[in-house]
Amino acid sequence: MPDFFEDVARKWKSFSGAQRSPRIDEEAVRSTYARWAPIYDVVFGAAFRAGRRAAVETVNQLPPGRILECGVGTGISLPYYDSAHRIVGIDLSPEMLDIARRRVEEAGLSNVEDLAVADAGDLPDPSDAYDAAVAMFVMTVVPDPKAVMSELIRVTRPGGAVVLVSHFPDQKGWRKWIGQKLAPISASIGWHTDFAVERILGRDELRLVERRRVGPLGFFTLLVFERL
Ligand SMILES: C[S@@+](CC[C@H](N)C(=O)[O-])C[C@H]1O[C@@H](n2cnc3c(N)ncnc32)[C@H](O)[C@@H]1O
């Protein structure tokens, strides 16, 4: 009997056009998400919902402020934010942002200040421009995660928050097994399942405030940092 995960991966791969280990660069991200944009919410809406909710709930506990969401995608999380926050969303994919703009208009989300094409690894904003910066399910798909961390830190004011949700590989147990099985499927959205949490911990400019498992079966991790 064919392996379920391999079967799904084959179908997804033929849809997305992705290779098993695509090189992550800006062009690969753009072309991958141009294909996924029309069906992204249907395919990834529910699976990532708990992680998004956890991250935005963290942000909603902060005093009203200016929030940057990096890799905002189709804007699926935008309706969750407290209306007292002003939100700026950026993404590399114009197709994903088109859907986000439609969502903002249809839902009348007047607290969304701007949605713009930008590279999270090279943000156009001045330093200390935001009270919090959020990246959900983004660190594993960006071409240069270290540069993205540096930019999230740079644009967040001291005392502000940097909030991440991501999958980090488990070294043992059933989550490791599932992670390995999902690797080919993850590759179809340019997602690298071997992204180690150590790559974003240990920054001098951040203090880790919270780290907990979220989402289906605790497969994802919420990391909340204070910007020092
Ligand atoms: C897996 S999707 C996550 C979307 C959304 N945050 C969510 O919760 O569903 C990853 C998003 O990151 C965007 N992205 C990838 N690399 C990026 C970069 N360097 N700068 C900005 N956005 C990027 C992709 O275009 C895509 O919309």
Side-chain angles (χ1 to χ4, degrees), residues 29 33 40 52 71 73 91-93 96 118-120 136-137 141-143:
V29 170
Y33 284 93
Y40 181 88
R52 291 187 197 101
D91 202 283
L92 264 187
S93 165
M96 295 286 272
D119 180 357
M136 296 176 264
F137 309 105
V141 304
V142 294

Side-chain angles (χ1 to χ4, degrees), residues 38-55:
I39 58 162
Y40 181 88
D41 289 357
V42 175
V43 179
F44 298 105
F48 296 169
R49 187 175 298 137
R52 291 187 197 101
R53 287 268 188 196

Side-chain angles (χ1 to χ4, degrees), residues 36-116:
W36 278 110
I39 58 162
Y40 181 88
D41 289 357
V42 175
V43 179
F44 298 105
F48 296 169
R49 187 175 298 137
R52 291 187 197 101
R53 287 268 188 196
V56 178
E57 270 163 27
T58 300
V59 172
N60 285 345
Q61 284 163 20
L62 303 173
R66 200 157 175 260
I67 315 296
L68 174 69
E69 190 182 320
C70 277
V72 66
T74 61
I76 193 166
S77 59
L78 293 174
Y80 302 159
Y81 288 98
D82 191 304
S83 59
H85 286 313
R86 285 167 299 134
I87 317 295
V88 172
I90 66 103
D91 202 283
L92 264 187
S93 165
E95 289 81 4
M96 295 286 272
L97 284 176
D98 282 347
I99 294 171
R101 290 196 187 95
R102 228 171 18 243
R103 185 190 305 276
V104 166
E105 202 180 310
E106 283 168 12
L109 301 175
S110 55
N111 63 328
V112 177
E113 220 173 69
D114 194 18
L115 292 171

Side-chain angles (χ1 to χ4, degrees), residues 130-192:
Y130 296 96
D131 297 291
V134 188
M136 296 176 264
F137 309 105
V138 171
M139 296 309 282
T140 49
V141 304
V142 294
D144 187 349
K146 197 169 166 209
V148 173
M149 273 312 283
S150 296
E151 283 296 81
L152 294 177
I153 291 167
R154 184 184 66 77
V155 300
T156 304
R157 66 163 175 81
V162 175
V163 180
L164 306 177
V165 181
S166 195
H167 170 70
F168 302 107
D170 282 88
Q171 301 311 321
K172 55 183 170 48
W174 57 270
R175 285 197 191 92
K176 177 182 177 189
W177 183 83
I178 291 183
Q180 286 170 341
K181 287 291 183 186
L182 289 177
I185 298 172
S186 307
S188 72
I189 53 168
W191 189 348
H192 282 214

